Amino acid sequence: MHYFFTRQDFDGLNREIATACDRIKDAGAEMGLSCAEGADNFAYEQGQRDQEMWSDRVRELVSVRNNAQIITPGANNGQVRIGRIVTVNNQTSNTEKVFRVGSYMVFEDTKVGEIPTLSYDAPLPKALIGAKVGEEREAFFGGEKHHLEVVKIE
């Protein structure tokens, strides 16, 4: 399975991996300090749990990175796709939402100004991929079915 990333989000993925690796090192250091108290202590056991948790996270992120494909959003072809800012009218809730369609994984530091970025794999963007302005789609999220209309694609 391929996971699609913009360069910016792929760089965010690499930063997330580095941060998780640092957490593993920190947990190991804490475990080392707790050894003075003996192996049967809470700090040591917590360090083991933390190392296991962060190691699992690194394995998950590296697996995604190994199957990542970096894409460059091209010129606006009038369709909802990764990298586009989309305005959608939710006819079910009578609200309008503006968001950027992001990569498979989206990181806080890859946000575009105040416009939220949603993974293309999230229910709302997933339902709209390939849609054009004026096109209507249905999506299920938040426990209910939503009727959506694409208002604008930038």
Side-chain angles (χ1 to χ4, degrees), residues 22-79:
D22 289 344
R23 298 273 178 106
I24 292 169
K25 291 175 193 171
D26 292 345
E30 290 294 322
M31 288 170 60
L33 291 173
S34 71
C35 283
E37 301 170 23
D40 190 25
N41 65 61
F42 175 78
Y44 183 83
E45 292 168 3
Q46 183 62 43
Q48 284 181 312
R49 286 188 291 272
D50 289 349
Q51 273 196 326
E52 184 177 342
M53 178 187 69
W54 288 109
S55 294
D56 288 346
R57 180 71 174 152
V58 168
R59 279 189 289 277
E60 173 192 351
L61 294 172
V62 168
S63 176
V64 168
R65 182 177 64 189
N66 289 345
N67 291 292
Q69 182 176 341
I70 298 172
I71 62 165
T72 303
N76 189 347
N77 67 352
Q79 290 184 311

CSV table of all heavy atoms in Angstrom, one decimal, residues 22-79:
chain,number,residue,atom,x,y,z
A,22,ASP,N,14.0,10.2,20.1
A,22,ASP,CA,14.5,10.9,21.3
A,22,ASP,C,13.7,10.5,22.5
A,22,ASP,O,14.3,10.3,23.6
A,22,ASP,CB,14.3,12.4,21.1
A,22,ASP,CG,15.2,13.0,20.0
A,22,ASP,OD1,16.2,12.3,19.7
A,22,ASP,OD2,15.0,14.1,19.6
A,23,ARG,N,12.4,10.2,22.4
A,23,ARG,CA,11.7,9.7,23.6
A,23,ARG,C,12.2,8.4,24.0
A,23,ARG,O,12.2,8.1,25.2
A,23,ARG,CB,10.2,9.7,23.2
A,23,ARG,CG,9.6,11.0,22.8
A,23,ARG,CD,9.1,11.7,24.1
A,23,ARG,NE,8.5,13.0,23.8
A,23,ARG,CZ,7.2,13.3,23.8
A,23,ARG,NH1,6.3,12.4,24.1
A,23,ARG,NH2,6.8,14.5,23.5
A,24,ILE,N,12.6,7.5,23.1
A,24,ILE,CA,13.1,6.2,23.5
A,24,ILE,C,14.4,6.4,24.3
A,24,ILE,O,14.6,5.7,25.3
A,24,ILE,CB,13.3,5.3,22.2
A,24,ILE,CG1,12.0,4.9,21.6
A,24,ILE,CG2,14.1,4.1,22.6
A,24,ILE,CD1,12.2,4.3,20.2
A,25,LYS,N,15.2,7.3,23.8
A,25,LYS,CA,16.5,7.5,24.5
A,25,LYS,C,16.3,8.1,25.9
A,25,LYS,O,16.9,7.7,26.8
A,25,LYS,CB,17.4,8.5,23.6
A,25,LYS,CG,17.9,7.9,22.4
A,25,LYS,CD,18.6,9.0,21.6
A,25,LYS,CE,18.9,8.5,20.1
A,25,LYS,NZ,19.4,9.6,19.3
A,26,ASP,N,15.3,9.0,26.0
A,26,ASP,CA,15.0,9.6,27.3
A,26,ASP,C,14.5,8.6,28.2
A,26,ASP,O,14.9,8.6,29.4
A,26,ASP,CB,13.9,10.7,27.1
A,26,ASP,CG,14.4,12.0,26.4
A,26,ASP,OD1,15.6,12.1,26.2
A,26,ASP,OD2,13.6,12.8,25.9
A,27,ALA,N,13.6,7.7,27.7
A,27,ALA,CA,13.1,6.6,28.6
A,27,ALA,C,14.3,5.7,29.1
A,27,ALA,O,14.3,5.3,30.2
A,27,ALA,CB,12.1,5.8,27.9
A,28,GLY,N,15.2,5.4,28.2
A,28,GLY,CA,16.4,4.6,28.6
A,28,GLY,C,17.2,5.3,29.6
A,28,GLY,O,17.7,4.7,30.5
A,29,ALA,N,17.4,6.6,29.5
A,29,ALA,CA,18.2,7.3,30.4
A,29,ALA,C,17.5,7.3,31.8
A,29,ALA,O,18.2,7.1,32.8
A,29,ALA,CB,18.4,8.8,30.0
A,30,GLU,N,16.2,7.5,31.8
A,30,GLU,CA,15.4,7.4,33.1
A,30,GLU,C,15.6,6.0,33.7
A,30,GLU,O,15.7,5.9,34.9
A,30,GLU,CB,14.0,7.7,32.8
A,30,GLU,CG,13.7,9.2,32.5
A,30,GLU,CD,14.0,10.1,33.6
A,30,GLU,OE1,13.8,9.8,34.8
A,30,GLU,OE2,14.6,11.2,33.4
A,31,MET,N,15.5,5.0,32.9
A,31,MET,CA,15.7,3.6,33.4
A,31,MET,C,17.1,3.5,34.0
A,31,MET,O,17.2,2.9,35.1
A,31,MET,CB,15.5,2.6,32.3
A,31,MET,CG,14.1,2.5,31.8
A,31,MET,SD,13.9,1.5,30.3
A,31,MET,CE,14.6,-0.1,30.8
A,32,GLY,N,18.1,4.0,33.4
A,32,GLY,CA,19.5,3.9,33.9
A,32,GLY,C,19.6,4.6,35.3
A,32,GLY,O,20.2,4.1,36.2
A,33,LEU,N,19.0,5.8,35.4
A,33,LEU,CA,19.0,6.5,36.6
A,33,LEU,C,18.3,5.7,37.8
A,33,LEU,O,18.7,5.8,38.9
A,33,LEU,CB,18.4,7.9,36.5
A,33,LEU,CG,19.2,8.9,35.7
A,33,LEU,CD1,18.3,10.2,35.5
A,33,LEU,CD2,20.5,9.2,36.3
A,34,SER,N,17.2,5.0,37.4
A,34,SER,CA,16.4,4.3,38.4
A,34,SER,C,17.1,3.0,38.8
A,34,SER,O,16.7,2.5,39.9
A,34,SER,CB,15.1,4.0,37.9
A,34,SER,OG,15.1,3.0,36.9
A,35,CYS,N,18.1,2.6,38.1
A,35,CYS,CA,18.8,1.3,38.5
A,35,CYS,C,19.5,1.4,39.8
A,35,CYS,O,19.7,0.4,40.5
A,35,CYS,CB,19.8,0.9,37.4
A,35,CYS,SG,19.0,0.2,36.0
A,36,ALA,N,19.8,2.6,40.2
A,36,ALA,CA,20.5,2.8,41.6
A,36,ALA,C,19.5,2.4,42.7
A,36,ALA,O,20.0,2.0,43.7
A,36,ALA,CB,20.9,4.3,41.8
A,37,GLU,N,18.2,2.4,42.4
A,37,GLU,CA,17.3,2.0,43.4
A,37,GLU,C,17.0,0.5,43.3
A,37,GLU,O,16.2,0.0,44.1
A,37,GLU,CB,16.0,2.8,43.1
A,37,GLU,CG,16.1,4.3,43.2
A,37,GLU,CD,14.9,5.0,42.8
A,37,GLU,OE1,13.8,4.4,42.8
A,37,GLU,OE2,15.0,6.2,42.4
A,38,GLY,N,17.5,-0.2,42.3
A,38,GLY,CA,17.2,-1.6,42.1
A,38,GLY,C,16.3,-1.8,41.0
A,38,GLY,O,15.6,-0.8,40.5
A,39,ALA,N,16.2,-3.0,40.4
A,39,ALA,CA,15.4,-3.2,39.2
A,39,ALA,C,13.9,-3.3,39.5
A,39,ALA,O,13.1,-3.3,38.6
A,39,ALA,CB,15.9,-4.5,38.6
A,40,ASP,N,13.6,-3.5,40.8
A,40,ASP,CA,12.2,-3.6,41.1
A,40,ASP,C,11.6,-2.3,41.6
A,40,ASP,O,11.3,-2.1,42.8
A,40,ASP,CB,12.0,-4.7,42.2
A,40,ASP,CG,10.5,-5.1,42.4
A,40,ASP,OD1,9.7,-4.9,41.4
A,40,ASP,OD2,10.2,-5.5,43.5
A,41,ASN,N,11.5,-1.3,40.7
A,41,ASN,CA,10.9,0.0,41.1
A,41,ASN,C,10.0,0.5,40.0
A,41,ASN,O,10.2,0.2,38.8
A,41,ASN,CB,12.0,0.9,41.5
A,41,ASN,CG,12.9,1.3,40.4
A,41,ASN,OD1,12.5,1.8,39.4
A,41,ASN,ND2,14.2,1.0,40.5
A,42,PHE,N,9.2,1.4,40.4
A,42,PHE,CA,8.2,2.0,39.4
A,42,PHE,C,8.9,2.7,38.3
A,42,PHE,O,8.5,2.5,37.1
A,42,PHE,CB,7.2,2.9,40.1
A,42,PHE,CG,6.3,3.6,39.2
A,42,PHE,CD1,5.2,2.9,38.7
A,42,PHE,CD2,6.5,4.9,38.8
A,42,PHE,CE1,4.3,3.5,37.8
A,42,PHE,CE2,5.6,5.5,37.9
A,42,PHE,CZ,4.5,4.8,37.4
A,43,ALA,N,9.9,3.5,38.5
A,43,ALA,CA,10.5,4.3,37.5
A,43,ALA,C,11.1,3.4,36.4
A,43,ALA,O,11.0,3.7,35.2
A,43,ALA,CB,11.6,5.2,38.1
A,44,TYR,N,11.7,2.3,36.8
A,44,TYR,CA,12.3,1.4,35.9
A,44,TYR,C,11.2,0.7,35.0
A,44,TYR,O,11.3,0.7,33.8
A,44,TYR,CB,13.1,0.3,36.6
A,44,TYR,CG,13.9,-0.6,35.7
A,44,TYR,CD1,15.1,-0.3,35.1
A,44,TYR,CD2,13.3,-1.9,35.4
A,44,TYR,CE1,15.7,-1.2,34.3
A,44,TYR,CE2,13.9,-2.8,34.5
A,44,TYR,CZ,15.2,-2.4,34.0
A,44,TYR,OH,15.8,-3.3,33.1
A,45,GLU,N,10.2,0.3,35.7
A,45,GLU,CA,9.1,-0.4,34.9
A,45,GLU,C,8.4,0.6,34.0
A,45,GLU,O,8.0,0.2,32.9
A,45,GLU,CB,8.1,-1.0,35.9
A,45,GLU,CG,8.8,-2.2,36.7
A,45,GLU,CD,7.9,-2.7,37.9
A,45,GLU,OE1,6.8,-2.1,38.1
A,45,GLU,OE2,8.4,-3.6,38.6
A,46,GLN,N,8.2,1.8,34.4
A,46,GLN,CA,7.6,2.8,33.6
A,46,GLN,C,8.5,3.1,32.4
A,46,GLN,O,8.0,3.2,31.3
A,46,GLN,CB,7.3,4.1,34.4
A,46,GLN,CG,6.5,5.1,33.6
A,46,GLN,CD,5.2,4.6,33.1
A,46,GLN,OE1,4.4,4.0,33.8
A,46,GLN,NE2,4.9,4.9,31.8
A,47,GLY,N,9.8,3.1,32.6
A,47,GLY,CA,10.7,3.3,31.5
A,47,GLY,C,10.6,2.2,30.5
A,47,GLY,O,10.6,2.5,29.3
A,48,GLN,N,10.4,1.0,30.9
A,48,GLN,CA,10.3,-0.1,30.0
A,48,GLN,C,9.0,0.0,29.2
A,48,GLN,O,9.0,-0.2,28.0
A,48,GLN,CB,10.2,-1.4,30.8
A,48,GLN,CG,11.6,-1.9,31.3
A,48,GLN,CD,11.4,-3.3,32.0
A,48,GLN,OE1,10.6,-3.4,32.8
A,48,GLN,NE2,12.3,-4.2,31.6
A,49,ARG,N,7.9,0.4,29.9
A,49,ARG,CA,6.6,0.6,29.2
A,49,ARG,C,6.8,1.7,28.1
A,49,ARG,O,6.3,1.6,27.0
A,49,ARG,CB,5.5,0.9,30.2
A,49,ARG,CG,5.1,-0.3,30.9
A,49,ARG,CD,3.8,-0.1,31.8
A,49,ARG,NE,4.1,0.8,32.9
A,49,ARG,CZ,4.5,0.5,34.1
A,49,ARG,NH1,4.7,-0.8,34.3
A,49,ARG,NH2,4.7,1.4,35.0
A,50,ASP,N,7.4,2.8,28.5
A,50,ASP,CA,7.6,4.0,27.6
A,50,ASP,C,8.4,3.6,26.4
A,50,ASP,O,8.1,3.9,25.3
A,50,ASP,CB,8.2,5.2,28.4
A,50,ASP,CG,7.3,5.8,29.4
A,50,ASP,OD1,6.1,5.5,29.3
A,50,ASP,OD2,7.8,6.6,30.2
A,51,GLN,N,9.5,2.9,26.7
A,51,GLN,CA,10.4,2.4,25.5
A,51,GLN,C,9.6,1.6,24.6
A,51,GLN,O,9.7,1.7,23.4
A,51,GLN,CB,11.6,1.7,26.1
A,51,GLN,CG,12.7,2.6,26.4
A,51,GLN,CD,14.1,1.8,26.5
A,51,GLN,OE1,14.1,0.7,26.9
A,51,GLN,NE2,15.1,2.5,26.1
A,52,GLU,N,8.8,0.7,25.1
A,52,GLU,CA,8.0,-0.2,24.2
A,52,GLU,C,7.0,0.6,23.4
A,52,GLU,O,6.8,0.3,22.2
A,52,GLU,CB,7.3,-1.3,25.1
A,52,GLU,CG,6.6,-2.3,24.3
A,52,GLU,CD,5.9,-3.4,25.1
A,52,GLU,OE1,6.3,-3.6,26.3
A,52,GLU,OE2,5.0,-4.0,24.6
A,53,MET,N,6.3,1.5,24.1
A,53,MET,CA,5.3,2.3,23.4
A,53,MET,C,6.0,3.1,22.3
A,53,MET,O,5.5,3.1,21.2
A,53,MET,CB,4.6,3.2,24.4
A,53,MET,CG,3.6,4.2,23.8
A,53,MET,SD,3.0,5.4,24.9
A,53,MET,CE,4.4,6.5,25.1
A,54,TRP,N,7.1,3.8,22.6
A,54,TRP,CA,7.7,4.7,21.6
A,54,TRP,C,8.4,3.8,20.5
A,54,TRP,O,8.4,4.2,19.3
A,54,TRP,CB,8.7,5.6,22.2
A,54,TRP,CG,8.0,6.7,22.9
A,54,TRP,CD1,7.9,6.9,24.3
A,54,TRP,CD2,7.2,7.7,22.4
A,54,TRP,NE1,7.1,8.0,24.6
A,54,TRP,CE2,6.6,8.5,23.4
A,54,TRP,CE3,6.9,8.1,21.0
A,54,TRP,CZ2,5.8,9.6,23.2
A,54,TRP,CZ3,6.0,9.2,20.8
A,54,TRP,CH2,5.5,9.9,21.9
A,55,SER,N,8.9,2.6,20.8
A,55,SER,CA,9.4,1.8,19.8
A,55,SER,C,8.4,1.3,18.8
A,55,SER,O,8.6,1.2,17.6
A,55,SER,CB,10.1,0.5,20.5
A,55,SER,OG,11.2,0.9,21.2
A,56,ASP,N,7.2,1.0,19.4
A,56,ASP,CA,6.1,0.6,18.5
A,56,ASP,C,5.7,1.8,17.6
A,56,ASP,O,5.4,1.6,16.4
A,56,ASP,CB,4.8,0.2,19.3
A,56,ASP,CG,5.0,-1.1,20.0
A,56,ASP,OD1,5.9,-1.9,19.7
A,56,ASP,OD2,4.1,-1.4,20.9
A,57,ARG,N,5.7,3.0,18.1
A,57,ARG,CA,5.4,4.1,17.3
A,57,ARG,C,6.4,4.4,16.2
A,57,ARG,O,6.1,4.6,15.0
A,57,ARG,CB,5.3,5.4,18.2
A,57,ARG,CG,5.0,6.7,17.5
A,57,ARG,CD,3.6,6.7,17.0
A,57,ARG,NE,3.3,8.0,16.4
A,57,ARG,CZ,2.4,8.2,15.5
A,57,ARG,NH1,1.7,7.3,15.0
A,57,ARG,NH2,2.2,9.5,15.0
A,58,VAL,N,7.7,4.2,16.5
A,58,VAL,CA,8.7,4.3,15.5
A,58,VAL,C,8.6,3.3,14.4
A,58,VAL,O,8.6,3.6,13.2
A,58,VAL,CB,10.2,4.3,16.1
A,58,VAL,CG1,11.2,4.1,15.0
A,58,VAL,CG2,10.4,5.5,17.0
A,59,ARG,N,8.3,2.0,14.8
A,59,ARG,CA,8.1,1.0,13.8
A,59,ARG,C,6.9,1.3,12.9
A,59,ARG,O,7.0,1.2,11.6
A,59,ARG,CB,7.9,-0.4,14.4
A,59,ARG,CG,9.1,-1.1,14.9
A,59,ARG,CD,8.9,-2.5,15.3
A,59,ARG,NE,8.2,-2.6,16.6
A,59,ARG,CZ,8.8,-2.4,17.8
A,59,ARG,NH1,10.1,-2.3,17.9
A,59,ARG,NH2,8.1,-2.5,18.9
A,60,GLU,N,5.8,1.8,13.4
A,60,GLU,CA,4.7,2.2,12.6
A,60,GLU,C,5.0,3.3,11.7
A,60,GLU,O,4.7,3.3,10.5
A,60,GLU,CB,3.6,2.7,13.6
A,60,GLU,CG,2.3,3.2,12.9
A,60,GLU,CD,1.4,3.9,13.8
A,60,GLU,OE1,1.5,3.8,15.1
A,60,GLU,OE2,0.4,4.6,13.3
A,61,LEU,N,5.7,4.4,12.2
A,61,LEU,CA,6.0,5.5,11.3
A,61,LEU,C,7.0,5.2,10.2
A,61,LEU,O,6.9,5.6,9.1
A,61,LEU,CB,6.6,6.7,12.2
A,61,LEU,CG,5.6,7.3,13.1
A,61,LEU,CD1,6.3,8.3,14.1
A,61,LEU,CD2,4.4,8.0,12.4
A,62,VAL,N,8.0,4.3,10.6
A,62,VAL,CA,9.0,3.9,9.6
A,62,VAL,C,8.3,3.1,8.5
A,62,VAL,O,8.7,3.2,7.3
A,62,VAL,CB,10.2,3.2,10.3
A,62,VAL,CG1,11.1,2.5,9.2
A,62,VAL,CG2,11.0,4.2,11.1
A,63,SER,N,7.4,2.2,8.9
A,63,SER,CA,6.6,1.4,7.9
A,63,SER,C,5.9,2.4,6.9
A,63,SER,O,5.9,2.1,5.7
A,63,SER,CB,5.7,0.5,8.6
A,63,SER,OG,4.9,-0.2,7.7
A,64,VAL,N,5.3,3.4,7.5
A,64,VAL,CA,4.6,4.4,6.6
A,64,VAL,C,5.6,5.0,5.7
A,64,VAL,O,5.4,5.2,4.5
A,64,VAL,CB,3.8,5.4,7.4
A,64,VAL,CG1,3.3,6.6,6.6
A,64,VAL,CG2,2.6,4.7,8.1
A,65,ARG,N,6.7,5.5,6.3
A,65,ARG,CA,7.7,6.2,5.5
A,65,ARG,C,8.3,5.3,4.4
A,65,ARG,O,8.5,5.7,3.2
A,65,ARG,CB,8.9,6.6,6.4
A,65,ARG,CG,9.9,7.4,5.6
A,65,ARG,CD,11.0,8.0,6.4
A,65,ARG,NE,11.8,6.9,7.0
A,65,ARG,CZ,12.7,7.0,8.0
A,65,ARG,NH1,13.0,8.3,8.4
A,65,ARG,NH2,13.4,6.0,8.5
A,66,ASN,N,8.5,4.0,4.7
A,66,ASN,CA,9.0,3.1,3.7
A,66,ASN,C,8.0,2.8,2.5
A,66,ASN,O,8.4,2.4,1.4
A,66,ASN,CB,9.4,1.7,4.3
A,66,ASN,CG,10.6,1.8,5.2
A,66,ASN,OD1,11.3,2.8,5.1
A,66,ASN,ND2,10.8,0.8,6.0
A,67,ASN,N,6.7,3.1,2.7
A,67,ASN,CA,5.7,2.9,1.7
A,67,ASN,C,5.2,4.3,1.2
A,67,ASN,O,4.1,4.3,0.6
A,67,ASN,CB,4.6,2.0,2.2
A,67,ASN,CG,5.0,0.6,2.4
A,67,ASN,OD1,5.3,-0.1,1.5
A,67,ASN,ND2,5.2,0.2,3.7
A,68,ALA,N,5.9,5.3,1.5
A,68,ALA,CA,5.4,6.7,1.1
A,68,ALA,C,5.8,7.0,-0.3
A,68,ALA,O,6.9,6.6,-0.8
A,68,ALA,CB,6.0,7.7,2.1
A,69,GLN,N,5.0,7.7,-0.9
A,69,GLN,CA,5.2,8.3,-2.2
A,69,GLN,C,5.1,9.8,-2.2
A,69,GLN,O,4.0,10.3,-1.8
A,69,GLN,CB,4.3,7.7,-3.3
A,69,GLN,CG,4.6,8.2,-4.7
A,69,GLN,CD,3.7,7.5,-5.7
A,69,GLN,OE1,3.1,6.4,-5.4
A,69,GLN,NE2,3.6,8.1,-6.9
A,70,ILE,N,6.1,10.5,-2.5
A,70,ILE,CA,6.0,12.0,-2.4
A,70,ILE,C,5.4,12.5,-3.7
A,70,ILE,O,5.9,12.1,-4.8
A,70,ILE,CB,7.4,12.6,-2.2
A,70,ILE,CG1,8.0,12.1,-0.8
A,70,ILE,CG2,7.4,14.1,-2.2
A,70,ILE,CD1,9.4,12.5,-0.5
A,71,ILE,N,4.4,13.3,-3.5
A,71,ILE,CA,3.8,13.9,-4.7
A,71,ILE,C,3.9,15.4,-4.7
A,71,ILE,O,4.1,16.0,-3.6
A,71,ILE,CB,2.3,13.5,-4.8
A,71,ILE,CG1,1.5,14.0,-3.6
A,71,ILE,CG2,2.1,12.0,-5.0
A,71,ILE,CD1,0.1,14.0,-3.8
A,72,THR,N,3.9,16.0,-5.8
A,72,THR,CA,3.9,17.5,-5.9
A,72,THR,C,2.6,17.9,-6.5
A,72,THR,O,2.3,17.5,-7.6
A,72,THR,CB,5.1,17.9,-6.9
A,72,THR,OG1,6.3,17.4,-6.4
A,72,THR,CG2,5.1,19.4,-7.0
A,73,PRO,N,1.8,18.6,-5.7
A,73,PRO,CA,0.5,19.1,-6.3
A,73,PRO,C,0.7,19.9,-7.5
A,73,PRO,O,1.5,20.9,-7.5
A,73,PRO,CB,-0.1,19.9,-5.1
A,73,PRO,CG,0.6,19.4,-3.9
A,73,PRO,CD,2.0,19.0,-4.3
A,74,GLY,N,0.1,19.6,-8.6
A,74,GLY,CA,0.3,20.3,-9.8
A,74,GLY,C,-0.7,21.5,-9.9
A,74,GLY,O,-1.3,21.9,-8.9
A,75,ALA,N,-0.8,22.0,-11.1
A,75,ALA,CA,-1.8,23.1,-11.3
A,75,ALA,C,-3.2,22.7,-11.0
A,75,ALA,O,-3.5,21.5,-11.1
A,75,ALA,CB,-1.7,23.6,-12.8
A,76,ASN,N,-4.0,23.6,-10.6
A,76,ASN,CA,-5.4,23.3,-10.2
A,76,ASN,C,-6.1,22.8,-11.5
A,76,ASN,O,-6.3,23.6,-12.4
A,76,ASN,CB,-6.0,24.6,-9.6
A,76,ASN,CG,-7.4,24.3,-9.1
A,76,ASN,OD1,-8.0,23.2,-9.3
A,76,ASN,ND2,-7.9,25.2,-8.3
A,77,ASN,N,-6.5,21.6,-11.4
A,77,ASN,CA,-7.3,21.0,-12.6
A,77,ASN,C,-8.8,21.0,-12.3
A,77,ASN,O,-9.5,20.4,-13.1
A,77,ASN,CB,-6.8,19.6,-12.9
A,77,ASN,CG,-7.1,18.6,-11.8
A,77,ASN,OD1,-7.6,19.0,-10.7
A,77,ASN,ND2,-6.9,17.3,-12.1
A,78,GLY,N,-9.2,21.7,-11.3
A,78,GLY,CA,-10.6,21.8,-11.0
A,78,GLY,C,-11.2,20.6,-10.2
A,78,GLY,O,-12.4,20.5,-10.0
A,79,GLN,N,-10.3,19.8,-9.7
A,79,GLN,CA,-10.7,18.6,-8.9
A,79,GLN,C,-10.2,18.7,-7.5
A,79,GLN,O,-9.0,19.2,-7.3
A,79,GLN,CB,-10.3,17.3,-9.6
A,79,GLN,CG,-11.0,17.0,-10.9
A,79,GLN,CD,-10.6,15.6,-11.4
A,79,GLN,OE1,-9.4,15.3,-11.5
A,79,GLN,NE2,-11.6,14.8,-11.7
